[in-house]
Amino acid sequence: MSDRTARRATERPPTLALWLNEATALVGLGAYAATLPWWRLAPRGDGHPVLVVPGLMQSDRSTLPLRAFLKNRGYDVHAWALGMNTGRPRLVDDHLLPRLRQLHARSGRPVSIVGWSMGGLFARELAKRAPEVVRQVITLGSPFTGDAKASNAWRLYQWMSGQRAGDPAIAQRFAGPLPVPTSAIYSRIDGIVAWRCCINDTETPAPALAAPAENIEVRSTHLGLGHHPAVLWALADRLAQAEGTWAPFEPPAGLRWMYPPRKTAPNTHKTKETHHDPGPTSRPLRPRGPGHWRLARPGAADGRGAG
């Protein structure tokens, strides 16, 4: 059985046990508050704008801890300011795209977009639509590929958005490689969406105009991704990279315990995690037309932690 066949065969909604485990996300909020002083050691940013988009049926209230953390790290953080995320596709054209361009015009700098769950799908669509104003995309448990019904929330999505889960036209908006660097943060114990639907495809060679992409595994519930310590550190690390450079995520030695070790079992998920690996240090990205980037000297994949 090929890796791709095995992946499709396991694209099923998370089990009832994992779904019930989502209740423990509230415990994580206590850990977030208790460790706030320690997180001041996380990498600081350069002040560029960061747009944070919440998940389905969530509002900016759900991203308060995440945005507070990023603001503390020195970023110009912006909530999406649209109330509850209903998943309706017109939100991108009517609100998000104009807001993204406004943030770029106001700062004169490309905007990083952090999207949680459904918010990550919108973040990917924005990067496809306006790559010239997007610095990078970071998704948190966002099911942008695979079976749309490999989720415990697909019926809710249909009800709120008025769209049919699995509609090929809708899936095309979110899937495929992006023209800007992207990091997909995911968890195998996600109780809402199948984790295999939340990772970048590294089996198929990326098109020439595709930018670097990676997968970062954490141990978190879906509802806890917005305040989990491993997620916050990875966010700070990814956003702190100098504009126009990119290197795969590698946690410091003292924090490797927070990230699952590499998986090498066959027919599960490739260890290759990035489309391009620039090596242990950041190297400049070269533009290939407006908003399109590639690594200056692509090399072998680093094989870290995608599982």
Side-chain angles (χ1 to χ4, degrees), residues 175-194:
L178 298 184
V180 302
T182 178
S183 301
I185 299 177
Y186 72 99
S187 171
R188 292 173 186 261
I189 60 171
D190 192 315
I192 304 298
V193 296

Side-chain angles (χ1 to χ4, degrees), residues 131-222:
E132 69 280 1
V133 300
V134 177
R135 178 161 168 168
Q136 67 176 308
V137 167
I138 304 175
T139 58
L140 313 180
S142 299
F144 54 82
T145 187
D147 188 349
K149 293 186 178 180
S151 163
N152 287 319
W154 69 268
R155 291 181 179 84
L156 179 64
Y157 165 75
Q158 289 192 153
W159 176 64
M160 296 199 69
S161 70
Q163 307 296 307
R164 180 171 62 86
D167 185 333
I170 296 176
Q172 186 60 35
R173 292 164 46 203
F174 313 127
L178 298 184
V180 302
T182 178
S183 301
I185 299 177
Y186 72 99
S187 171
R188 292 173 186 261
I189 60 171
D190 192 315
I192 304 298
V193 296
W195 67 268
R196 291 180 180 274
C197 296
C198 303
I199 57 177
N200 289 297
D201 179 15
T202 57
E203 298 178 28
T204 305
L209 296 182
E214 67 178 346
N215 303 306
I216 302 173
E217 184 179 357
V218 298
R219 298 183 184 94
S220 171
T221 60
H222 184 87

Side-chain angles (χ1 to χ4, degrees), residues 12-147:
R12 299 188 179 92
T15 63
L16 176 61
L18 288 176
W19 183 74
L20 293 175
N21 187 55
E22 289 294 323
T24 63
L26 294 175
V27 178
L29 278 174
Y32 166 86
T35 57
L36 275 178
W38 188 72
W39 290 116
R40 293 176 183 173
L41 300 176
R44 289 192 61 84
D46 59 4
H48 76 270
V50 178
L51 176 63
V52 181
V53 186
L56 182 67
M57 211 175 72
Q58 299 298 317
S59 68
D60 289 326
R61 183 175 300 179
S62 68
T63 64
L64 272 172
L66 188 156
R67 287 185 286 116
F69 171 77
L70 294 181
K71 185 175 181 180
N72 176 269
R73 294 296 82 206
Y75 295 100
D76 179 21
V77 184
H78 298 270
W80 91 320
L82 293 174
M84 182 183 293
N85 187 346
T86 61
R88 294 186 179 276
R90 293 302 305 175
L91 288 171
V92 174
D93 285 318
D94 295 345
H95 301 285
L96 283 176
L97 195 55
R99 179 164 173 75
L100 175 67
R101 295 192 185 280
Q102 180 188 51
L103 293 177
H104 174 258
R106 183 185 302 170
S107 65
R109 307 177 69 180
V111 181
S112 290
I113 311 176
V114 178
W116 187 355
S117 196
M118 184 72 207
L121 305 189
F122 285 162
R124 291 178 62 88
E125 184 174 8
L126 287 171
K128 287 184 173 184
R129 299 278 297 279
E132 69 280 1
V133 300
V134 177
R135 178 161 168 168
Q136 67 176 308
V137 167
I138 304 175
T139 58
L140 313 180
S142 299
F144 54 82
T145 187
D147 188 349

Side-chain angles (χ1 to χ4, degrees), residues 219-249:
R219 298 183 184 94
S220 171
T221 60
H222 184 87
L223 299 178
L225 287 169
H227 52 261
H228 192 278
V231 175
L232 297 181
W233 187 277
L235 282 173
D237 179 272
R238 300 291 78 199
L239 293 172
Q241 296 182 102
E243 186 175 343
T245 65
W246 190 90
F249 176 67

